[in-house]
Amino acid sequence: MTEYRSDLTRRTFLRGALAGALAAPGAPALLGAERQSTTTRESTPWYRRAYLWGQTNITEKDPVRYDIDWWRGYWKRTQVQAVIINAGGIVAYYPSKFPLHHRAEFLGERDLFGDLTKAAHADGIFVMARMDSNRTDEDFFKAHPDWFARNASGQPYRAADKYIACINSAYYDQYLPDVLREIIERSKPDGFTDNSWAGLGRESICYCDNCTQKFKAKTGKALPRKADWDDQAYREWIMWSYARRTEVWELNNRTTRAAGGPDCIWSGMNSGSVTAQARSFRDLKEIGARADIMMLDHQRRDDDTGFQQNGDTGKRVHMIAGWDTLAPESMAMYQSGPGYYRVAAKPAAEARMWMIAGIAGGIQPWWHHVAAYHEDRRMYQTAEPVMRWWKTNQHYLVGRTPVASVGLVWSQRNTDFFGRDASPEVVDAPYTGFMHALVRARIPYLPIHADDIERQAAAMTVLILPNVGALAEAQVATIRRFVERGGSLFATGATSLHNEWGDPRPDFALGDLFGCHRTGDVTPGGAPGGRGGSTDPIGAFAPSPSGHTYLRLIPELRARVDGPRAGDEPAIPGPRHAVLSGFEETDLLAYGGSLTPLRVDKGAVVPLTFVPPFPTYPPETAWMREPKTDVPGLVLSEHGKGRVAYMPADVDRRYARDHLPDHARLLGNVIRWTAAGSIPLTVEGTGLIDCHLYQQPGRSVLHMVNLTSEATWRAPLDELIRVGPFKITMPVPAGQTKPRARLLVAGGTPAVEVAGGRASLEIASILDHEVIVLE
Ligand SMILES: [Zn+2]
């Protein structure tokens, strides 16, 4: 712990020093990265100035065919400042003194890792030694049978022909630190990363003697016999397993710094998916507090999440690790998804857009090839132009602060204990639905961890809570304070309906703010946003049997006389609420989910109600059996200056899955109503554009990523499609009255008009992306 605290102190000091440099009076107009590199270069550790990365993931065959000179040329062409080189773990690429450290099949006596490290250092490039450390050959297992993970019947866990080491064994406490020290003594890499450092995942409980004894000593309990989210022993096993990974993170850092100096850091790789992090016990928040650099192994999109998910990942990791912490991300130059073709080039448009989408969210590009020799040479053409553009414009791509009035709340404990085994459906999909809707609506937002609301959301207007079922009392209290201070909420589904362990509460903890409450007569499978499964006493996320359901648009009811409506005074239909704008020609929206009754507080507005399922087939039967109900699909209320929208309907999840445009429009409308004019950006013009807004001293920076393509949702992308023109209004940089605009991709200086504190300008078109700098 002491090590960790001193490290934090050092980081805090460093951040203070950098901030001071940026704020120095009389500083030149160009700040950020350039200033760091000229005035604080010597005090800035290497991992804060290694912006462009490359990795050739070495195969066992490569020691006899690795053309180091050719790769040095490629490093130079792509401008990389750091490379990742395979050192040891499952396979060693140097002649290790440890006889059981398996040498690459074609290594012989060659020190390929050492040769490459020397070459990189000679070229002024930093080296991160790559470990892949969680499994071994059979001879290792036979020599140390007590270092390996075992199932309930005592058999070792295996992956193909390899044996999985137990994270609680001396393999991690003694053997790996010895290997790290050996590598440092031989070749002095600048740091270490590790691909599979977190050991066995959540799906496999280890019952080895180490785990049995350590868990008993920590909790007084026996290891859980199976995965049972309602069993307190299983819950404690989850938290104990997280804590061990964090301990290994600290142990590895102590080891590498003691042997290699204070900047010889160790930083294991992380995923951009919180569900993937949860399943491998990598706690993003705890890691973000400790990491000097965030190494992301997150190589591609899937069809549900799109390129925009990489921009989201960049924002998420920076919000937890700090915007001055670099976050390089491994970006596959080979075809991965759909399919794995390790030595075939990924279509250039697909690889390029993944890189650009990440850069827009603050990610450092890192090309990634598997094997040192390729017959598909097209893959060597993709990264170079992106890296060169990055290098030319680096002042505007680092050292910047995001600007947003909307926060999208997440927490890994919610993924664990509310999501349980269904987190892709009940946690990830609602979040993703909002992400897509925000991108569609061109509303800048930031991912906010539920424990950081007090610190990070103070200046925000709206918090979105996408089916955040599990909230601890303290988190509920901070959300309450946010509203008391005038903030607005947009919550969906089961938000606040469960405590931090995922146990159901009798009512929403935020029910008074939502303006509605659960009724006592919820039928099984009917609670909003539930996760399903036999362990869930109150809900299921399954759609209604046919999925053939609708939401009915309800006019606001106005009293016959001015003033508040009293008692049973008759009401007349008024105009529809602003959240229904754009739906003037329909009284129904396709929905597809199910809903159950809620008790709505007086004064709350219900602009949408549920139409229960009716047959779709044969068509003669497709008539509504129950056209009108009182079951709310959306409840709106006002609390002081704060506006609260609670949407029991899982429109967020449905948008992630079905992509119905009405769902995006509805979510966007509700966000705009809660934001009440506070959104700092408008962009007019056709196309799907992901907008990231930043500020630097004296400067506004808008990064627009063109996601309009024939493969907007489905990979791989083959062709880029130009869109435009766009009319944009964005914030005027602080202290400026007549800012000038510059385009970092198309070039040119469009005219700027300033009115009402906003700058407006037009750009003709965007092919892949554009960065507008206002200064
Ligand atoms: Zn074990």
Side-chain angles (χ1 to χ4, degrees):
M1 276 317 288
T2 312
E3 179 89 7
Y4 166 48
R5 268 202 299 275
S6 66
D7 179 44
L8 264 192
T9 307
R10 187 174 58 77
R11 281 176 53 179
T12 308
F13 169 77
L14 182 66
R15 286 172 193 195
L18 281 177
L22 291 173
L30 283 183
L31 289 166
E34 183 187 67
R35 189 168 169 81
Q36 281 180 39
S37 64
T38 53
T39 65
T40 61
R41 188 170 189 111
E42 279 175 18
S43 62
T44 304
W46 72 271
Y47 48 81
R48 297 247 162 169
R49 43 194 171 96
Y51 301 118
L52 300 174
W53 290 68
Q55 179 192 9
T56 309
N57 208 327
I58 307 173
T59 70
E60 291 199 73
K61 182 74 193 256
D62 291 334
V64 294
R65 63 181 185 182
Y66 205 118
D67 184 344
I68 293 182
D69 283 342
W70 187 91
W71 283 97
R72 287 175 93 159
Y74 187 61
W75 295 344
K76 195 171 181 187
R77 273 201 287 134
T78 54
Q79 320 251 328
V80 295
Q81 296 155 319
V83 289
I84 292 155
I85 303 174
N86 301 56
I90 300 171
V91 176
Y93 287 95
Y94 66 95
S96 173
K97 69 186 176 197
F98 300 103
L100 293 170
H101 195 183
H102 171 81
R103 289 189 196 178
E105 190 174 336
F106 292 87
L107 185 70
E109 288 302 312
R110 186 173 185 190
D111 180 3
L112 181 57
F113 171 76
D115 291 347
L116 283 162
T117 301
K118 260 191 217 121
H121 281 164
D123 291 349
I125 294 171
F126 303 114
V127 173
M128 254 207 175
R130 176 189 186 269
M131 304 291 291
D132 198 349
S133 61
N134 75 344
R135 60 195 81 167
T136 74
D137 286 332
E138 190 171 19
D139 54 349
F140 201 132
F141 168 72
K142 284 187 168 157
H144 297 283
D146 55 326
W147 289 6
F148 288 82
R150 292 176 186 272
N151 64 20
S153 50
Q155 295 304 306
Y157 280 109
R158 298 179 60 170
D161 61 339
K162 302 278 194 280
Y163 290 75
I164 314 265
C166 173
I167 194 138
N168 282 300
S169 75
Y171 176 90
Y172 284 86
D173 285 319
Q174 294 167 23
Y175 172 72
L176 275 181
D178 282 344
V179 170
L180 296 174
R181 281 187 283 267
E182 180 187 48
I183 292 167
I184 291 169
E185 280 161 21
R186 291 180 58 99
S187 300
K188 298 189 172 44
D190 301 281
F192 285 81
T193 186
D194 193 319
N195 197 44
S196 34
W197 60 277
L200 207 53
R202 191 175 82 189
E203 310 306 318
S204 315
I205 300 173
C206 177
Y207 294 95
C208 79
D209 290 345
N210 293 308
C211 287
T212 306
Q213 288 160 15
K214 288 182 178 177
F215 187 70
K216 180 93 181 176
K218 178 73 185 172
T219 67
K221 294 187 171 80
L223 286 163
R225 299 312 294 169
K226 60 177 172 49
D228 176 356
W229 292 97
D230 292 326
D231 172 10
Q232 194 57 29
Y234 183 69
R235 295 168 174 182
E236 288 180 37
W237 178 76
I238 296 281
M239 297 311 295
W240 174 77
S241 298
Y242 270 118
R244 174 59 181 165
R245 272 68 179 180
T246 305
E247 192 178 283
V248 165
W249 185 287
E250 293 180 348
L251 166 67
N252 288 342
N253 267 286
R254 279 199 302 276
T255 303
T256 56
R257 289 166 203 261
D263 288 345
C264 188
I265 58 168
W266 181 97
S267 196
M269 293 192 202
N270 287 287
S271 167
S273 155
V274 181
T275 282
Q277 290 287 108
R279 287 178 175 167
S280 53
F281 298 122
R282 291 175 290 178
D283 191 317
L284 258 181
K285 185 157 169 59
E286 294 299 320
I287 289 168
R290 289 162 175 76
D292 293 287
I293 190 166
M294 290 292 282
M295 305 297 288
L296 297 170
D297 182 14
H298 189 55
Q299 305 198 17
R300 59 182 171 86
R301 63 172 171 154
D302 59 43
D303 288 337
D304 276 339
T305 52
F307 294 118
Q308 52 269 50
Q309 194 262 327
N310 210 21
D312 183 88
T313 294
K315 290 188 285 197
R316 185 200 303 271
V317 300
H318 282 110
M319 290 306 284
I320 56 163
W323 281 87
D324 51 355
T325 297
L326 301 184
E329 178 188 80
S330 173
M331 296 162 167
M333 296 296 119
Y334 58 87
Q335 176 54 25
S336 61
Y340 253 116
Y341 301 94
R342 295 286 207 184
V343 293
K346 178 176 282 194
E350 177 74 21
R352 178 180 178 84
M353 289 309 296
W354 181 250
M355 297 179 86
I356 287 170
I359 290 168
I363 282 176
Q364 270 62 58
W366 152 9
W367 52 251
H368 178 216
H369 298 282
V370 172
Y373 175 77
H374 301 100
E375 291 159 291
D376 188 343
R377 294 168 299 280
R378 294 173 297 178
M379 69 177 76
Y380 303 140
Q381 309 303 319
T382 309
E384 184 180 340
V386 180
M387 304 291 238
R388 283 183 177 278
W389 176 85
W390 197 100
K391 193 78 190 293
T392 304
N393 296 291
Q394 74 173 54
H395 311 301
Y396 312 100
L397 303 174
V398 289
R400 56 190 189 178
T401 312
V403 178
S405 59
V406 175
L408 188 52
V409 176
W410 68 283
S411 92
Q412 198 160 332
R413 291 295 87 76
N414 180 55
T415 300
D416 293 319
F417 295 113
F418 176 64
R420 301 188 173 185
D421 298 321
S423 63
E425 201 56 36
V426 302
V427 177
D428 299 350
Y431 182 98
T432 299
F434 269 109
M435 175 186 77
H436 289 321
L438 286 157
V439 170
R440 275 274 176 214
R442 295 149 177 183
I443 297 173
Y445 74 94
L446 288 168
I448 301 287
H449 191 281
D451 288 335
D452 292 337
I453 288 171
E454 202 81 46
R455 193 162 56 84
Q456 295 185 335
M460 290 188 160
T461 314
V462 182
L463 287 180
I464 298 174
L465 296 150
N467 204 31
V468 184
L471 285 173
E473 289 298 337
Q475 293 168 331
V476 168
T478 60
I479 293 166
R480 238 170 232 299
R481 281 197 293 277
F482 179 78
V483 176
E484 280 162 14
R485 287 196 298 258
S488 294
L489 298 182
F490 183 3
T492 65
T495 295
S496 82
L497 199 48
H498 301 247
N499 68 14
E500 65 270 37
W501 294 112
D503 291 328
R505 295 183 169 115
D507 190 11
F508 304 103
L510 294 166
D512 56 325
L513 292 179
F514 292 173
C516 64
H517 308 271
R518 288 187 63 208
T519 58
D521 56 347
V522 171
T523 51
R531 70 173 84 83
S534 57
T535 61
D536 182 358
I538 61 153
F541 66 82
S544 65
S546 74
H548 190 216
T549 62
Y550 294 80
L551 295 170
R552 178 169 296 286
L553 283 61
I554 306 295
E556 273 191 87
L557 294 181
R558 300 265 181 225
R560 284 189 185 280
V561 292
D562 288 342
R565 214 172 114 214
D568 296 328
E569 191 179 350
I572 53 164
R576 284 181 180 170
H577 197 279
V579 300
L580 303 181
S581 116
F583 299 127
E584 288 74 18
E585 292 303 315
T586 179
D587 298 332
L588 288 173
L589 298 178
Y591 170 39
S594 60
L595 285 171
T596 51
L598 294 170
R599 182 167 52 79
V600 178
D601 291 343
K602 209 165 203 171
V605 175
V606 178
L608 290 167
T609 57
F610 181 55
V611 178
F614 54 96
T616 52
Y617 193 85
E620 289 84 345
T621 65
W623 53 276
M624 282 177 202
R625 305 303 192 271
E626 199 179 355
K628 284 190 178 174
T629 69
D630 291 331
V631 179
L634 175 63
V635 182
L636 306 175
S637 55
E638 302 195 23
H639 304 263
K641 283 184 183 168
R643 296 176 169 183
V644 177
Y646 168 66
M647 185 182 271
D650 62 343
V651 170
D652 43 5
R653 168 165 56 210
R654 307 225 66 82
Y655 186 55
R657 294 284 180 256
D658 303 338
H659 311 149
L660 293 185
D662 281 352
H663 290 172
R665 175 180 281 275
L666 178 61
L667 294 173
N669 282 351
V670 177
I671 296 166
R672 286 190 190 284
W673 175 73
T674 53
S678 68
I679 295 165
L681 178 74
T682 65
V683 176
E684 291 172 42
T686 51
L688 178 64
I689 309 290
D690 190 7
C691 299
H692 299 257
L693 187 60
Y694 297 96
Q695 62 186 13
Q696 290 177 321
R699 190 185 284 154
S700 295
V701 178
L702 174 63
H703 203 151
M704 301 171 73
V705 182
N706 180 11
L707 301 178
T708 315
S709 73
E710 99 284 5
T712 291
W713 303 108
R714 293 191 185 281
L717 171 63
D718 186 33
E719 187 183 17
L720 301 175
I721 297 173
R722 190 175 286 282
V723 294
F726 292 99
K727 201 173 168 189
I728 296 152
T729 65
M730 56 191 280
V732 176
Q736 308 232 357
T737 48
K738 288 183 180 170
R740 289 164 52 88
R742 253 175 350 110
L743 306 182
L744 299 186
V745 177
T749 55
V752 181
E753 280 180 34
V754 176
R758 296 282 185 96
S760 54
L761 64 145
E762 283 188 45
I763 60 173
S765 70
I766 304 178
L767 180 60
D768 46 2
H769 68 139
E770 186 55 88
V771 179
I772 300 166
V773 175
L774 212 57
E775 56 189 353

